[in-house]
Amino acid sequence: MKTLGLQLYTVRNTMDTADNIRETFRRIKAMGYDEAQTAGCPIPYEEFGQIAKDEGVAIIGTHEGWNQVYDAPVEQVVENHRALGTTNVGIGAYYFHSEEEIYTFCDRANELGARLKPFGMKFTYHNHSFEFRRWGNEGKTAMDILAERLDPETVSFVLDTYWVQHGGGDVRAWIERLAGRIDILHLKDMGVNENGPFITECGNGNINFEGIIPLAEQCGVKHFCVEQDIWPGDAMDSAAFSANYLKKFIR
């Protein structure tokens, strides 16, 4: 873990105009975030990518809508991601309503990955907890099927620590199972109160980062990226808290 990234969904409320985007990049860079993953581009891709570059933040991947990357001409998708300076073409989520739909999605994801491969790009899949629901007579989860069916050569994972644990999965076991296939690991912590589990700052919950990060390094994770979907107060304060906690792992 040589650098730390931030999923920009964390600071989405200040990522609306070019000026605000620039200021946000400046602030997260000062916190110690040298990388970022997008959560949509509210301004033209080329302008967004140039601002990130100007402020010293490397874009390591995207979260786009599925139809935005699957239905669009591959040349346009590639052009957009080249403008950002990344080869990871990702989606934020895909919600499955049947076991058949999981298999259909895998076929289409592999198709998209094959389209992107000649351009040196990969399709990346980000999990939540609903992928740990069991389906069919064999009792496989969607994550089981995704791990079995997605092509390791053209499709990779954005594994999310919080959502794996929230779904009842073992984070370390999934990192080992997907060794060499995780381009981005989302570092997201889980706290618990009287209402159940909730997303919190890294170092403020119960996720075992002391065990997860060294294992992730051994298993070939390329990028480590903080994501916090909700915050108790100011998103920037939460991002700074996580950065301060995780700096001890950077070497």
Side-chain angles (χ1 to χ4, degrees):
M1 183 172 168
K2 298 178 180 178
T3 56
L4 185 62
L6 182 68
Q7 192 354 298
L8 296 174
Y9 188 70
T10 308
V11 291
R12 59 191 178 275
N13 290 346
T14 57
M15 300 291 290
D16 50 358
T17 67
D19 288 343
N20 287 342
I21 290 168
R22 184 178 297 277
E23 179 61 20
T24 300
F25 275 128
R26 285 176 180 168
R27 293 181 67 183
I28 67 171
K29 175 72 174 180
M31 294 175 192
Y33 293 106
D34 295 314
E35 298 180 333
Q37 181 185 21
T38 70
C41 281
I43 61 175
Y45 287 87
E46 186 173 358
E47 184 178 8
F48 192 102
Q50 188 61 52
I51 291 173
K53 184 177 180 180
D54 290 345
E55 302 307 326
V57 178
I59 302 299
I60 57 171
T62 61
H63 270 183
E64 308 273 84
W66 168 249
N67 293 335
Q68 191 177 357
V69 293
Y70 182 76
D71 293 335
V74 67
E75 294 80 7
Q76 185 62 59
V77 176
V78 168
E79 180 181 339
N80 292 342
H81 285 73
R82 283 179 175 167
L84 296 174
T86 184
T87 59
N88 289 320
V89 179
I91 60 172
Y94 193 99
Y95 296 96
F96 305 110
H97 302 96
S98 68
E99 185 179 13
E100 181 182 359
E101 191 173 4
I102 304 169
Y103 287 101
T104 299
F105 172 79
C106 288
D107 291 341
R108 291 177 176 172
N110 289 336
E111 177 193 340
L112 176 57
R115 285 187 229 156
L116 295 168
K117 184 178 180 179
F119 300 94
M121 296 190 176
K122 278 187 177 182
F123 173 61
T124 63
Y125 182 84
H126 172 252
N127 72 280
H128 290 78
S129 59
F130 59 80
E131 288 92 346
F132 292 87
R133 173 185 172 183
R134 296 191 179 277
W135 296 87
N137 294 330
E138 295 183 7
K140 288 185 178 181
T141 68
M143 279 297 286
D144 290 325
I145 298 170
L146 292 166
E148 292 169 2
R149 302 276 295 196
L150 293 178
D151 185 349
E153 297 299 318
T154 61
V155 182
S156 64
F157 287 84
V158 178
L159 195 72
D160 189 298
T161 58
Y162 175 92
W163 290 120
V164 172
Q165 187 157 306
H166 187 271
D170 182 320
V171 179
R172 285 167 55 88
W174 273 98
I175 290 172
E176 289 180 323
R177 181 171 178 178
L178 297 174
R181 302 174 65 185
I182 303 172
D183 279 339
I184 301 171
L185 181 67
H186 276 183
L187 305 177
K188 185 184 298 181
D189 213 342
M190 176 186 287
V192 178
N193 59 22
E194 64 277 8
N195 297 314
F198 63 93
I199 297 168
T200 189
E201 296 82 4
C202 293
N204 197 41
N206 300 312
I207 298 285
N208 178 23
F209 292 115
E210 297 280 352
I212 287 170
I213 292 176
L215 178 65
E217 292 170 336
Q218 295 170 23
C219 291
V221 169
K222 296 176 182 177
H223 303 283
F224 296 80
C225 194
V226 170
E227 183 181 38
Q228 188 167 342
D229 306 34
I230 55 173
W231 343 269
D234 185 270
M236 287 291 183
D237 291 340
S238 290
F241 186 106
S242 293
N244 288 334
Y245 169 73
L246 292 167
K247 284 175 183 176
K248 65 182 179 181
F249 296 104
I250 296 176
R251 45 186 172 271

